[in-house]
Every structure is written in C-alpha cells, then in structure tokens.
C-alpha cells in the first residue's frame, strides 16, 4: 500500500494501485485512457476527478480530496492556492 502522509500526488496513487489500471477503471467506471490522461497532468471534468478520488479513497481506505492530492488539473478552472495566514 502507500505510506501515510499529508499530501499525495495523483501519479503516485495511480502508479501504486494494487490492481491493473484496466481493472481499476472497469471496477469504478472510469476509462483507462481518462485515468492515464489525468495521471499525466491533462485536465479533466470535476465530476470525473471526484469519481476518481472517491475510487482511490475506497481502494486505499483513506480520504483523498482536491486538498490532499496534488497534480490534478480541472478543465476550465485553475486550482487556487489558499492564502497563507499572516
């Protein structure tokens, strides 16, 4: 499995899957091509990314969101950095 830490990259979560990308995509209803595109930094629709994060959360038995997974590009949106506390 994966180590416990504060943030992860989408690439590491996908590359460390305990099943093949094809099996994972089939099980959770996300195209293997779409998963590979997202892993490689291409943009995706929010609904698809949320579906992928939910599937990864179930697979690894921990919560993955846009807040703790880096390397996600939303189609038509830019991920804003939260303002730092002064």
């Amino acid at each position: 499995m994966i180590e416990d830490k504060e943030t992860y990259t989408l690439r590491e979560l996908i590359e460390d899957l305990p099943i093949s990308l094809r099996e994972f995509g089939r099980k959770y209803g996300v195209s293997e091509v779409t998963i590979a595109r997202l892993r490689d930094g291409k943009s995706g629709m929010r609904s698809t990314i949320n579906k992928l994060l939910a599937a990864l959360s179930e697979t690894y038995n921990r919560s993955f969101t846009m807040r703790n997974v880096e390397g996600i590009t939303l189609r038509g949106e830019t991920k804003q950095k939260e303002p730092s506390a002064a």
Side-chain angles (χ1 to χ4, degrees):
M1 281 302 207
I2 58 171
E3 66 181 89
D4 191 24
K5 54 188 185 176
E6 286 187 34
T7 61
Y8 300 85
T9 65
L10 187 60
R11 176 171 290 282
E12 75 180 305
L13 294 174
I14 292 170
E15 289 180 353
D16 291 345
L17 284 169
I19 59 177
S20 74
L21 198 58
R22 176 172 285 155
E23 289 175 86
F24 179 81
R26 194 174 304 134
K27 180 176 181 178
Y28 292 104
V30 181
S31 157
E32 179 182 357
V33 171
T34 298
I35 297 168
R37 287 178 46 80
L38 293 171
R39 177 200 62 206
D40 295 341
K42 305 293 188 216
S43 65
M45 294 185 306
R46 180 176 290 276
S47 60
T48 303
I49 291 168
N50 286 339
K51 188 175 190 178
L52 178 59
L53 289 171
L56 289 167
S57 295
E58 184 178 320
T59 299
Y60 289 110
N61 197 29
R62 61 185 72 197
S63 179
F64 295 118
T65 67
M66 294 284 297
R67 290 190 177 105
N68 67 352
V69 178
E70 298 175 345
I72 297 172
T73 306
L74 293 172
R75 186 169 294 146
E77 299 180 38
T78 56
K79 187 174 178 182
Q80 299 289 325
K81 292 213 177 226
E82 294 183 20
S84 57

